[in-house]
Structure formats: structure tokens, C-alpha cells
Amino acid sequence: MSLVKRLWIAICLIILAAVLSAGIINIRSAQHYLENELKVKNLDNATALALTLSQSASDVVTVDLLLSSQFDLGHYQHIDYLGPDGRLMAHRERTTLPPAVPAWFMRLFPIAPEPGTAVIQHGWTQLGSIQLRSDPSFAYDSLWHSALELAELFLLGGLFVGALGMVYIRRVLQPLQRVVEQAEALAERRYLEIPPPRTREFRLIIEAMNRLAHRTKVLLDDEATRLYKLKTEHEVDARTGFMVGEVFRRNAADEIERESTNPQGLLLLVRIANLEELNREIGRQQADRLIGLMAQQMRQALQAQTGVHYGRLGAAEFGILLPGQGDSAAVLQQLHASLLQVEHSNLVQLSYGATCYEAHSDLFELLSACEQHMAPVDAERLTLLVSGGMQPSHSAREWEQILQVALRKHEFQLALYPVRGRNNSYLHTEAPARLHSSVCGETLVAGAFLPWARRQGLVGQVDLEILAQTLATVERHGHDICINLGYESVCDEGLMQRIIDMMEQSKAQSAQLWFDVGEEIAFEHPQAFARFCERLRPLGCKIGIEHLDHHVGHLARLHGLGLHYIKLSRTLVQDVGHEETAQALLRGLCTIGHTMGMLVIAEGVSQSDDVPLLFDLGLDGVTGSAVV
């Protein structure tokens, strides 16, 4: 039984007890008052009748006639005429009861006044005595009607007090709902803090729970910061802030092979050809400072580009991967112009090498191509340094036709890949989108058509089409299926509402949907992502972060969103069997994830020998080529 019901029962019992007590006291008072009034009336009537008989009665017959006349004219229960010796000389009695008063009421509140007695005498001679009792019917009627009026007043008062009590209780217990929500959030390992109310008991509870939530968040923040520091020390070059060589190669290979990213792009190498001379001329310390400034200029020059990867491949060599970039000449000109602004740039001899790549290109072959075409700076030849020229596979008009026809003919399909848990158990099925185009006759991955869909404002329609395909697949096969949602689906209110409407029409299937959201969306648009989670969580679907890598240090920010899982980027789990630092990082991420109530899943596991180790480190699931 709920607390509110218990309070209402207690209040009703208290009100009932108060009403009954007040009613009984009031009726008892009226009962005693009426008894006293009847007693006085009996005495007065007996005295008046005795006086009349004393003056008028000369024999028994006359007395009897006077008694009958008085009894018929008045309201008496009985009249007795007693002789001088106490013998009953005449008797009159009425036995009918008032039908308007219930018998139980008369038994519960009896009215029994003392009879009135008076002496009849003639001169100094005593002729007898009169004893009478008035009929209490009218007193019972009065008492009964008073009780009914009192009950009506108490009922109206009780209803009014109950209405006020309802308003007051709702106001007093309003913080209780927040306490319940906070407790449920803690049960789901969402550590929310809410403002404490004025009610002392609720305030103490909420303050205690807020302290627990705050301490947990601090622990999560500290652990995430520690892991990010460990990751940074392991992966980032301290002088430039670029990824170290091996990590850059790993991230670049992942970017090139990943289906969800742009399948084309540019790989650029920048080399300081005279680093040894710089060390001799300006000193090693100044040369290191110069390298750091050059790294800052590279970032500043390419800050308008998205998804750029920077790496320091050697002491004097830098690698830059630009997904989706095809205009190599403009990039080289922009980058070189920016590097010329660095202090002592006139002493630096720069060489550039560039090559374009396509999906599933081999990174080492791309690096070799850049090495072969490495050339020093020459303003006239700067645009000729690129190998493997990249031509768009389709024009903008062709892409528009491909997408429009695909939406009209429902040419989007799902490629199904399992995600396995411990002991080869089934978690869900990843379903990246494919476009089997009837226009170009090709099967296109998401990374190929989504950039063009975004340019033409069709991403929302594409996501809705893929969601419809997913719901149909879930209904057909009964498996949990995971799909990816882009920026528009998460941040656009209108599109989000259409997604919710579609899922509400298929509530049975909605509980089997898993939604992957990219880490850049979750961390760079936190308010929109929080609103997205709040709107979709009641539908029973599961929401998680995919490709988690660069925002490891901010993982604790997700503590209050009720996420169900995180998927770690393949760059974090690759070669985990040979790197103790990577193992420590994964173990710490599992601790944070489990503390926040989330599953931790590894993406892109390609080595079957790594699967048992990943589970030993605490991961809950794996996906990739090593998973069947």
C-alpha cells in the first residue's frame, strides 16, 4: 500500500473519530437538556393539575373526569391519581411510539425525565396526590432532527476539510515523487542530483542521496580523467599533441576501412628535411619549440576540415589524414601558407607528399606512395605532388537521382553482423545500411551515400526508411537489431518526433531496437542528446555510444542519461594482447561503464585470440571479423 493511501486512511480515521466524538457529545448535551426541560414541565403540569383538583374535585367521579380531560388535552405518557393512603385511584397512559424516530436511536439516547408529583388537598385535608410524566415523543423528534442536521453539517465540513487536505497532502508529498525518481535513477545507476525540499524528512533523504550521487560522479570523473591521462601518455606526442606514429597508423587504417565514414580522402605527409641542421643552428630546445609551433599551425590551417587525423610519424615527419577531401592542391597551398607564418620558417626546408585513397585501401601502400612522391617545396610544382588522383564516382546530379530513386523504390537494405557476449551468447545484431541502387547498379555503403544525402537534406528520410526496414526485420526474425542514427535524427525535433511516432506504432518491436549514436554527437551536442535519450527511453529501446575513443576523459558526463551500452573504437582494442597500457585502459573503462550501468562492447575485433582476453578485462560483448 502506498504512503499516500496510508495517510488518507489515517486522516479519514482521525476525521471520523473527531466527528463521532463531537456528534455524540453534542447529542448527549441535547439529551440532558431535553430531560431537564421535561422534568420541569412534568413538575409544573403536576402542580397545576393538583391545584385544579384541589379547588374543583369534590368526589371521585369529578376527579376522573378532570384527569381524562387533562390527559386528552395535553401530551402525557401517563397520569396517576393516588389516594391519601397511596392506593391508585385513577390511571391514564399512552403507549404509542413516534414512528419518525428509529428505535435504535431511542435505545441509544433514551430520554427518561423524572415524573412530576404534586399533593391534592382541601384546606388542611389531604385528598391524595398527582404523578404525571409528559410524553417524550416531541423530545425524541427534536433530538433526531438535530442529529440529522449535525450529520449533514459534519459531512459538508468533512468534504471541505478533505478537499483542503488533498491539496495540502499533494503539496507536501510533491517532493516525494522527485525522491522516487531519484531512487529509480540510482537503481538504474544514473546519478542525479535534485534540489532538496523544505520538508525536513524529505530534505534529509534527498541530501543524503545527493551526496551519494555527487561522490559517485566525482569518482567517475576522477577515474575518467586518469584513464584519459593514461591514454594521452600512451598515444599522444607531448611536443606536438599529434598521435604517435603507431597510433596514427591504427586510427588511419580504421578510418579508411570503416564503412560509416567517407570512403574517399587524402593522405598527406609533411617532412622537415633539415632537422639536423636546425638543431645545430638554433639548438635542440628551440628546434623542438619550432616543431610544436608548426603543429599548431597545421591544426589552425585545417580547422575547417572535419574528422582530420594528425600524427607524428618520426622526429621530422608528420602525417595528416583528411577524410572526404579531394582538392589536394587547395589543402597543400593552405597548409604551406600557414606554416610560413611560423617563427624561423625561413630556416625550415619542407617537403610534401600526398596521395588520395578510396575505401579499403592499404595504408602502408598509401604511405609508400607518399614517400615516393615526396618533394621539396616549389611554388610552381606544389599542385603536382599528389599521386592517385581521386575523381568523384558520381556527380551531384547523379547522387540526387540515386537517393531519390532509392527512397521511392525502398532500395535501402540492412547488412547483419552479430554482437556476441560471454560464452558466445547473443547480444544483438548490428545492421549497417546498404543502398542497392538500380540507377548505378552498385551496392553502396553508408559512408558513400550519407555525405551526399546530408548535402541534399535527405538524411532524415534515409533514417526513417532504415528504421522502417529495421522494425520490419525485427518483426520478421524476432532478433534485437542495432542501427546507427546521425546528427539530424538526434538533434532535429521534428525528425525525432517522426521516429517516436513510428516506434509507438510498433511498440512490440521498439523494445528490441538498439540505437548507436556517434561519440562526437553525444559530447559535442550534449543538450540535444540528453533530450533525445529522455524522449526515447520510455519506449523501451536501448541507446548507446559507438566508436568511443577521443572522448574517453568525458565519459562520466553521460552518467545521468540512462544509456545502456558503449562501444569502444577498434583503435582501443587492437593489439590489446601485446600492450599492457591498453589492457589497463580497457579495464578502467569497463569499471566506469559498469558503475554507470552500461554494457561495454569492443568494436572491430579482428584477432580471435583477443576475444577471451577482452572478456577477462571486463568487456561484455565483442563484434568484428573475429566474431561469428
Side-chain angles (χ1 to χ4, degrees):
M1 187 181 295
S2 67
L3 176 62
V4 176
K5 290 183 179 179
R6 291 178 181 271
L7 287 175
W8 270 116
I9 291 174
I11 290 174
C12 290
L13 291 176
I14 292 173
I15 292 177
L16 182 61
V19 168
L20 289 177
S21 299
I24 291 173
I25 292 172
N26 189 284
I27 294 174
R28 286 292 184 188
S29 299
Q31 175 192 1
H32 293 316
Y33 172 78
L34 291 173
E35 282 186 344
N36 289 330
E37 288 296 314
L38 286 175
K39 177 182 177 181
V40 173
K41 179 178 178 296
N42 290 338
L43 183 60
D44 290 344
N45 289 347
T47 302
L49 182 58
L51 181 63
T52 301
L53 292 174
S54 297
Q55 296 175 357
S56 304
S58 58
D59 54 26
V60 176
V61 176
T62 304
V63 171
D64 188 74
L65 289 174
L66 288 174
L67 289 179
S68 297
S69 175
Q70 184 70 25
F71 185 80
D72 292 336
L73 292 174
H75 296 279
Y76 301 102
Q77 190 176 31
H78 68 84
I79 298 178
D80 294 335
Y81 175 45
L82 303 176
D85 56 356
R87 183 169 54 89
L88 181 65
M89 303 296 293
H91 175 72
R92 300 290 185 274
E93 182 176 2
R94 179 178 288 125
T95 59
T96 58
L97 294 175
V101 180
W104 62 265
F105 185 79
M106 296 175 61
R107 289 194 300 269
L108 189 61
F109 301 102
I111 298 177
E114 295 181 8
T117 302
V119 177
I120 304 172
Q121 60 185 15
H122 183 71
W124 295 102
T125 305
Q126 183 176 348
L127 301 178
S129 64
I130 291 294
Q131 188 179 71
L132 62 81
R133 188 190 301 270
S134 296
D135 187 359
S137 299
F138 73 93
Y140 278 118
D141 288 336
S142 177
L143 188 62
W144 173 249
H145 290 300
S146 298
L148 292 178
E149 291 178 0
L150 188 65
E152 291 178 359
L153 291 175
F154 279 150
L155 179 60
L156 293 176
L159 292 176
F160 179 71
V161 172
L164 291 180
M166 181 182 297
V167 174
Y168 181 73
I169 287 178
R170 285 184 177 179
R171 185 171 181 179
V172 170
L173 296 181
Q174 190 174 10
L176 182 62
Q177 182 60 34
R178 296 200 298 269
V179 175
V180 173
E181 292 174 357
Q182 188 181 30
E184 290 177 347
L186 289 175
E188 297 171 0
R189 300 187 185 182
R190 294 186 290 118
Y191 303 98
L192 302 180
E193 293 186 46
I194 60 177
R198 289 181 295 179
T199 307
R200 182 175 180 273
E201 289 77 10
F202 291 156
R203 186 177 71 249
L204 294 176
I205 294 173
I206 291 180
E207 286 176 350
M209 297 173 71
N210 282 344
R211 287 194 296 271
L212 172 63
H214 178 71
R215 290 174 183 173
T216 305
K217 286 195 294 184
V218 170
L219 290 175
L220 292 174
D221 285 332
D222 291 345
E223 182 65 11
T225 302
R226 185 187 69 81
L227 293 178
Y228 182 72
K229 182 179 179 181
L230 177 65
K231 182 176 182 293
T232 301
E233 293 175 351
H234 177 62
E235 297 183 353
V236 178
D237 176 63
R239 177 60 58 187
T240 61
F242 289 0
M243 289 180 279
V244 297
E246 183 60 31
V247 177
F248 172 78
R249 295 184 185 91
R250 206 158 55 215
N251 278 268
D254 178 55
E255 181 71 34
I256 293 171
E257 295 176 12
R258 189 186 299 172
E259 293 183 357
S260 59
T261 57
N262 202 303
Q264 297 174 324
L266 179 68
L267 178 63
L268 176 65
L269 292 185
V270 180
R271 179 179 295 166
I272 303 176
N274 61 334
L275 180 59
E276 293 185 2
E277 296 178 6
L278 284 174
N279 288 333
R280 289 195 298 270
E281 291 184 13
I282 63 176
R284 185 179 184 86
Q285 186 175 359
Q286 286 297 323
D288 288 343
R289 177 176 174 274
L290 177 60
I291 290 173
L293 293 175
M294 291 179 64
Q296 294 180 12
Q297 287 298 112
M298 291 182 197
R299 287 186 183 275
Q300 185 175 353
L302 303 176
Q303 62 182 353
Q305 307 292 332
T306 58
V308 182
H309 296 269
Y310 301 90
R312 187 175 185 183
L313 305 182
E317 188 171 81
F318 308 94
I320 304 175
L321 187 76
L322 298 98
Q325 181 58 247
D327 190 357
S328 56
V331 172
L332 288 170
Q333 292 284 2
Q334 185 179 6
L335 184 62
H336 183 63
S338 180
L339 290 176
L340 290 179
Q341 300 176 16
V342 178
E343 183 183 0
H344 301 304
S345 60
N346 58 317
L347 301 178
V348 181
Q349 297 178 9
L350 296 174
S351 297
Y352 297 93
T355 184
C356 296
Y357 69 84
E358 296 182 351
H360 304 294
S361 299
D362 184 86
L363 178 63
F364 292 99
E365 293 181 359
L366 295 176
L367 290 172
S368 298
C370 289
E371 289 283 352
Q372 292 175 7
H373 294 83
M374 184 72 67
V377 172
D378 186 338
E380 296 180 357
R381 298 179 60 242
L382 193 58
T383 59
L384 303 176
L385 297 173
V386 181
S387 66
M390 181 178 63
Q391 297 296 327
S393 57
H394 301 286
S395 64
R397 183 178 296 275
E398 289 174 337
W399 273 114
E400 182 178 5
Q401 183 181 7
I402 290 172
L403 292 171
Q404 293 288 357
V405 171
L407 289 170
R408 188 172 62 253
K409 294 185 177 181
H410 308 289
E411 294 178 346
F412 292 97
Q413 297 184 11
L414 303 175
L416 304 179
Y417 299 100
V419 178
R420 298 292 182 182
R422 297 177 182 275
N423 302 319
N424 205 34
S425 60
Y426 171 81
L427 286 183
H428 63 262
T429 299
E430 285 188 339
R434 298 283 189 272
L435 196 166
H436 298 280
S437 176
S438 60
V439 176
C440 64
E442 300 177 15
T443 298
L444 304 170
V445 298
F449 63 79
L450 280 180
W452 291 98
R454 183 163 286 110
R455 294 176 191 177
Q456 297 172 20
L458 298 175
V459 172
Q461 297 182 42
V462 171
D463 279 355
L464 290 174
E465 176 67 20
I466 293 173
L467 178 58
Q469 293 267 2
T470 305
L471 290 171
T473 303
V474 170
E475 184 177 10
R476 190 164 53 249
H477 298 291
H479 293 164
D480 287 17
I481 293 183
C482 178
I483 60 174
N484 175 275
L485 291 180
Y487 167 82
E488 292 80 1
S489 297
V490 175
C491 300
D492 185 85
E493 281 283 348
L495 183 55
M496 187 193 309
Q497 186 59 49
R498 294 180 65 184
I499 291 175
I500 292 173
D501 293 341
M502 185 179 295
M503 293 176 63
E504 286 181 341
Q505 295 175 4
S506 304
K507 290 186 177 180
Q509 289 76 40
S510 298
Q512 294 181 274
L513 288 183
W514 298 52
F515 289 120
D516 281 350
V517 178
E519 66 168 350
E520 66 282 353
I521 300 173
F523 291 101
E524 295 175 10
H525 306 278
Q527 294 181 350
F529 182 61
R531 185 167 57 251
F532 173 82
C533 295
E534 183 179 358
R535 296 282 303 277
L536 264 70
R537 191 167 53 243
L539 299 176
C541 59
K542 297 177 176 61
I543 305 172
I545 305 297
E546 68 170 347
H547 311 322
L548 181 66
D549 186 1
H550 303 296
H551 294 84
V552 166
H554 302 148
L555 184 59
R557 295 181 183 177
L558 306 176
H559 65 87
L561 302 182
L563 298 181
H564 297 85
Y565 64 94
I566 53 174
K567 292 183 177 179
L568 306 182
S569 172
R570 61 180 294 179
T571 58
L572 293 178
V573 300
Q574 193 173 8
D575 297 329
V576 65
H578 308 291
E579 298 184 8
E580 293 184 1
T581 304
Q583 295 178 18
L585 177 63
L586 292 178
R587 190 178 290 109
L589 287 174
C590 289
T591 300
I592 295 178
H594 294 160
T595 302
M596 296 169 61
M598 298 186 295
L599 299 175
V600 183
I601 301 172
E603 293 180 332
V605 179
S606 57
Q607 305 270 345
S608 59
D609 295 340
D610 291 341
V611 174
L613 176 59
L614 291 172
F615 286 129
D616 289 341
L617 293 175
L619 274 81
D620 304 289
V622 293
T623 181
S625 59
V627 180
V628 181

Coordinates of all heavy atoms in Angstrom, one line a residue, residues 407-453:
L407 N 14.9 6.1 -52.3 CA 13.8 6.3 -51.3 C 12.4 5.9 -51.9 O 11.6 5.4 -51.2 CB 13.8 7.8 -50.9 CG 15.0 8.3 -50.0 CD1 15.0 9.8 -49.9 CD2 14.9 7.7 -48.6
R408 N 12.2 6.2 -53.1 CA 10.9 5.9 -53.7 C 10.7 4.4 -53.9 O 9.6 3.9 -53.7 CB 10.8 6.6 -55.1 CG 9.4 6.5 -55.7 CD 9.3 7.3 -57.0 NE 10.2 7.0 -58.0 CZ 11.3 7.7 -58.4 NH1 11.6 8.8 -57.7 NH2 12.1 7.3 -59.4
K409 N 11.8 3.7 -54.3 CA 11.7 2.2 -54.5 C 12.1 1.4 -53.3 O 12.2 0.1 -53.4 CB 12.6 1.8 -55.7 CG 12.1 2.4 -57.0 CD 12.9 1.9 -58.2 CE 12.4 2.4 -59.5 NZ 13.2 1.9 -60.7
H410 N 12.4 2.0 -52.2 CA 12.9 1.3 -51.0 C 14.0 0.4 -51.3 O 14.0 -0.8 -51.0 CB 11.7 0.5 -50.4 CG 10.4 1.3 -50.2 ND1 10.3 2.2 -49.2 CD2 9.3 1.2 -50.9 CE1 9.1 2.7 -49.3 NE2 8.4 2.2 -50.3
E411 N 15.1 0.9 -51.8 CA 16.3 0.2 -52.1 C 17.3 0.1 -51.0 O 18.4 -0.5 -51.2 CB 16.9 0.8 -53.4 CG 16.1 0.7 -54.6 CD 16.7 1.3 -55.8 OE1 17.7 2.1 -55.7 OE2 16.2 1.1 -57.0
F412 N 17.0 0.6 -49.9 CA 17.9 0.5 -48.7 C 17.7 -0.8 -48.0 O 16.6 -1.3 -47.9 CB 17.7 1.6 -47.7 CG 18.0 3.0 -48.2 CD1 17.0 3.8 -48.8 CD2 19.3 3.4 -48.2 CE1 17.4 5.1 -49.2 CE2 19.6 4.7 -48.6 CZ 18.7 5.5 -49.2
Q413 N 18.8 -1.5 -47.7 CA 18.8 -2.8 -47.0 C 19.7 -2.8 -45.8 O 20.5 -1.8 -45.6 CB 19.1 -3.9 -48.0 CG 18.1 -4.0 -49.1 CD 18.4 -5.2 -50.0 OE1 19.2 -6.0 -49.7 NE2 17.7 -5.3 -51.2
L414 N 19.7 -3.8 -45.0 CA 20.5 -3.9 -43.9 C 21.5 -5.1 -44.0 O 21.1 -6.2 -44.4 CB 19.6 -4.2 -42.6 CG 18.6 -3.1 -42.3 CD1 17.7 -3.6 -41.1 CD2 19.2 -1.8 -42.1
A415 N 22.7 -4.9 -43.7 CA 23.7 -5.9 -43.6 C 23.8 -6.3 -42.1 O 24.1 -5.5 -41.3 CB 25.1 -5.5 -44.1
L416 N 23.7 -7.6 -41.8 CA 23.5 -8.1 -40.4 C 24.8 -8.7 -39.9 O 25.4 -9.6 -40.6 CB 22.4 -9.1 -40.3 CG 21.0 -8.6 -40.8 CD1 20.0 -9.6 -40.7 CD2 20.6 -7.3 -40.1
Y417 N 25.3 -8.2 -38.8 CA 26.6 -8.7 -38.2 C 26.3 -9.0 -36.7 O 25.8 -8.1 -36.0 CB 27.7 -7.8 -38.4 CG 28.1 -7.5 -39.8 CD1 27.7 -6.3 -40.4 CD2 28.9 -8.4 -40.5 CE1 28.0 -6.0 -41.7 CE2 29.2 -8.1 -41.8 CZ 28.8 -7.0 -42.4 OH 29.1 -6.7 -43.7
P418 N 26.6 -10.1 -36.2 CA 26.3 -10.4 -34.8 C 27.2 -9.7 -33.8 O 28.4 -9.5 -34.1 CB 26.4 -11.9 -34.7 CG 27.4 -12.3 -35.7 CD 27.2 -11.3 -36.8
V419 N 26.7 -9.4 -32.6 CA 27.5 -9.0 -31.5 C 27.3 -10.0 -30.4 O 26.2 -10.3 -30.0 CB 27.0 -7.6 -31.0 CG1 27.8 -7.2 -29.8 CG2 27.1 -6.6 -32.1
R420 N 28.4 -10.6 -30.0 CA 28.4 -11.7 -29.1 C 28.9 -11.3 -27.7 O 29.7 -10.4 -27.5 CB 29.4 -12.8 -29.6 CG 28.9 -13.4 -30.9 CD 27.7 -14.2 -30.8 NE 27.3 -14.8 -32.0 CZ 26.2 -15.5 -32.2 NH1 25.3 -15.7 -31.2 NH2 25.9 -16.0 -33.4
G421 N 28.3 -11.9 -26.7 CA 28.7 -11.7 -25.3 C 29.5 -12.9 -24.8 O 30.1 -13.7 -25.6
R422 N 29.6 -13.0 -23.5 CA 30.4 -14.1 -22.9 C 29.8 -15.4 -23.2 O 28.6 -15.6 -23.4 CB 30.4 -13.9 -21.4 CG 31.1 -12.6 -20.9 CD 31.0 -12.4 -19.4 NE 31.6 -11.2 -19.0 CZ 32.9 -11.0 -18.7 NH1 33.7 -12.0 -18.9 NH2 33.4 -9.8 -18.4
N423 N 30.7 -16.4 -23.3 CA 30.3 -17.8 -23.7 C 29.5 -17.8 -25.0 O 28.6 -18.6 -25.2 CB 29.4 -18.4 -22.6 CG 30.2 -18.4 -21.3 OD1 31.4 -18.7 -21.2 ND2 29.4 -18.1 -20.2
N424 N 29.9 -16.9 -25.9 CA 29.3 -16.8 -27.3 C 27.8 -16.6 -27.2 O 27.1 -17.0 -28.2 CB 29.6 -18.1 -28.0 CG 29.6 -17.9 -29.5 OD1 30.0 -16.9 -30.0 ND2 29.2 -18.9 -30.3
S425 N 27.3 -15.9 -26.2 CA 25.9 -15.6 -26.1 C 25.6 -14.5 -27.1 O 26.5 -13.7 -27.5 CB 25.5 -15.2 -24.7 OG 26.3 -14.1 -24.3
Y426 N 24.3 -14.4 -27.4 CA 23.9 -13.4 -28.4 C 23.5 -12.1 -27.7 O 22.6 -12.1 -26.7 CB 22.7 -14.0 -29.2 CG 22.0 -13.0 -30.1 CD1 22.6 -12.6 -31.3 CD2 20.8 -12.3 -29.7 CE1 21.9 -11.7 -32.1 CE2 20.2 -11.4 -30.5 CZ 20.7 -11.1 -31.7 OH 20.1 -10.2 -32.5
L427 N 24.0 -11.0 -28.1 CA 23.6 -9.7 -27.5 C 22.6 -9.0 -28.5 O 21.5 -8.7 -28.1 CB 24.8 -8.8 -27.3 CG 25.7 -9.1 -26.1 CD1 26.8 -8.1 -25.9 CD2 24.8 -9.2 -24.8
H428 N 23.0 -8.7 -29.7 CA 22.2 -8.1 -30.7 C 22.9 -8.2 -32.0 O 24.0 -8.8 -32.1 CB 21.8 -6.6 -30.4 CG 23.0 -5.7 -30.3 ND1 23.6 -5.3 -29.2 CD2 23.7 -5.1 -31.3 CE1 24.6 -4.5 -29.5 NE2 24.7 -4.3 -30.8
T429 N 22.2 -7.7 -33.0 CA 22.8 -7.8 -34.4 C 23.0 -6.3 -34.9 O 22.0 -5.5 -34.9 CB 21.8 -8.5 -35.3 OG1 21.6 -9.8 -34.9 CG2 22.4 -8.5 -36.8
E430 N 24.2 -6.0 -35.3 CA 24.5 -4.7 -35.9 C 24.0 -4.8 -37.3 O 24.1 -5.8 -38.0 CB 26.0 -4.4 -35.9 CG 26.4 -4.0 -34.5 CD 27.9 -3.5 -34.5 OE1 28.6 -3.8 -35.5 OE2 28.3 -2.8 -33.6
A431 N 23.4 -3.6 -37.7 CA 22.8 -3.6 -39.1 C 23.2 -2.3 -39.8 O 22.4 -1.4 -39.9 CB 21.2 -3.7 -39.0
P432 N 24.4 -2.3 -40.3 CA 24.8 -1.1 -41.1 C 23.9 -1.1 -42.4 O 23.6 -2.1 -43.0 CB 26.3 -1.3 -41.4 CG 26.5 -2.8 -41.2 CD 25.5 -3.2 -40.2
A433 N 23.7 0.2 -42.9 CA 22.8 0.3 -44.1 C 23.6 0.1 -45.4 O 24.8 0.4 -45.5 CB 22.2 1.7 -44.1
R434 N 22.9 -0.4 -46.3 CA 23.4 -0.6 -47.7 C 22.3 0.0 -48.7 O 21.1 0.0 -48.4 CB 23.6 -2.1 -48.0 CG 24.6 -2.8 -47.2 CD 26.0 -2.4 -47.6 NE 27.0 -3.3 -46.9 CZ 27.5 -3.0 -45.8 NH1 27.1 -1.9 -45.1 NH2 28.4 -3.8 -45.2
L435 N 22.9 0.5 -49.8 CA 22.0 1.0 -50.8 C 22.2 0.2 -52.1 O 23.3 0.4 -52.7 CB 22.2 2.5 -51.0 CG 21.2 3.3 -51.8 CD1 21.4 4.8 -51.6 CD2 21.1 3.0 -53.3
H436 N 21.3 -0.6 -52.5 CA 21.4 -1.4 -53.7 C 20.7 -0.6 -54.8 O 19.6 -0.7 -55.1 CB 20.8 -2.8 -53.6 CG 21.4 -3.6 -52.5 ND1 22.6 -4.3 -52.8 CD2 21.1 -3.8 -51.2 CE1 22.9 -5.0 -51.7 NE2 22.0 -4.7 -50.7
S437 N 21.5 0.3 -55.5 CA 21.0 1.3 -56.4 C 20.7 0.7 -57.7 O 21.5 0.0 -58.3 CB 22.0 2.5 -56.6 OG 21.5 3.4 -57.5
S438 N 19.4 0.9 -58.2 CA 19.1 0.5 -59.5 C 19.5 1.5 -60.6 O 19.5 1.2 -61.8 CB 17.5 0.3 -59.6 OG 16.9 1.5 -59.3
V439 N 19.9 2.7 -60.1 CA 20.4 3.7 -61.1 C 21.8 3.5 -61.6 O 22.1 3.5 -62.8 CB 20.3 5.1 -60.4 CG1 20.8 6.2 -61.3 CG2 18.8 5.4 -60.0
C440 N 22.7 3.2 -60.6 CA 24.1 3.0 -61.0 C 24.5 1.5 -61.0 O 25.6 1.1 -61.4 CB 25.0 3.8 -60.1 SG 25.0 3.3 -58.3
G441 N 23.6 0.7 -60.5 CA 23.9 -0.8 -60.4 C 25.0 -1.1 -59.4 O 25.6 -2.2 -59.5
E442 N 25.2 -0.3 -58.4 CA 26.2 -0.6 -57.4 C 25.6 -0.8 -56.0 O 24.4 -0.4 -55.8 CB 27.2 0.6 -57.3 CG 28.0 0.9 -58.6 CD 28.9 2.1 -58.4 OE1 29.1 2.5 -57.2 OE2 29.3 2.6 -59.4
T443 N 26.3 -1.5 -55.1 CA 25.9 -1.6 -53.7 C 26.8 -0.6 -52.9 O 28.0 -0.8 -52.9 CB 26.1 -3.0 -53.2 OG1 25.2 -3.9 -54.0 CG2 25.7 -3.1 -51.7
L444 N 26.2 0.4 -52.3 CA 26.9 1.5 -51.7 C 26.8 1.4 -50.2 O 25.7 1.1 -49.6 CB 26.3 2.8 -52.1 CG 26.3 3.1 -53.7 CD1 25.5 4.3 -54.0 CD2 27.7 3.2 -54.2
V445 N 27.9 1.6 -49.5 CA 27.9 1.6 -48.0 C 27.5 2.9 -47.5 O 27.4 3.9 -48.3 CB 29.3 1.2 -47.4 CG1 29.7 -0.2 -47.9 CG2 30.3 2.2 -47.9
A446 N 27.2 3.0 -46.2 CA 26.6 4.2 -45.6 C 27.6 5.4 -45.8 O 27.2 6.5 -46.1 CB 26.3 4.0 -44.2
G447 N 28.9 5.1 -45.7 CA 29.9 6.2 -45.8 C 29.9 6.8 -47.2 O 30.3 8.0 -47.4
A448 N 29.4 6.1 -48.2 CA 29.4 6.6 -49.6 C 28.2 7.5 -49.8 O 28.4 8.5 -50.5 CB 29.4 5.4 -50.5
F449 N 27.0 7.1 -49.4 CA 25.8 7.9 -49.8 C 25.4 8.9 -48.7 O 24.7 9.9 -49.0 CB 24.7 7.0 -50.1 CG 24.2 6.1 -49.0 CD1 23.3 6.6 -48.0 CD2 24.5 4.7 -49.0 CE1 22.9 5.8 -47.0 CE2 24.0 3.9 -48.0 CZ 23.2 4.4 -47.0
L450 N 25.8 8.7 -47.4 CA 25.3 9.6 -46.4 C 25.8 11.1 -46.6 O 25.1 12.0 -46.4 CB 25.7 9.1 -45.0 CG 24.7 8.0 -44.4 CD1 25.2 7.6 -43.1 CD2 23.3 8.5 -44.4
P451 N 27.1 11.3 -46.9 CA 27.6 12.7 -47.1 C 26.7 13.4 -48.2 O 26.4 14.6 -48.1 CB 29.0 12.5 -47.6 CG 29.5 11.2 -47.0 CD 28.3 10.3 -47.0
W452 N 26.4 12.7 -49.3 CA 25.6 13.3 -50.3 C 24.1 13.5 -49.8 O 23.5 14.5 -50.2 CB 25.6 12.5 -51.6 CG 27.0 12.5 -52.2 CD1 28.0 11.6 -52.1 CD2 27.5 13.6 -53.1 NE1 29.1 12.0 -52.8 CE2 28.8 13.2 -53.4 CE3 26.9 14.7 -53.5 CZ2 29.6 14.0 -54.3 CZ3 27.7 15.5 -54.4 CH2 29.0 15.2 -54.7
A453 N 23.6 12.5 -49.1 CA 22.3 12.7 -48.5 C 22.2 13.9 -47.6 O 21.2 14.6 -47.5 CB 21.9 11.4 -47.8

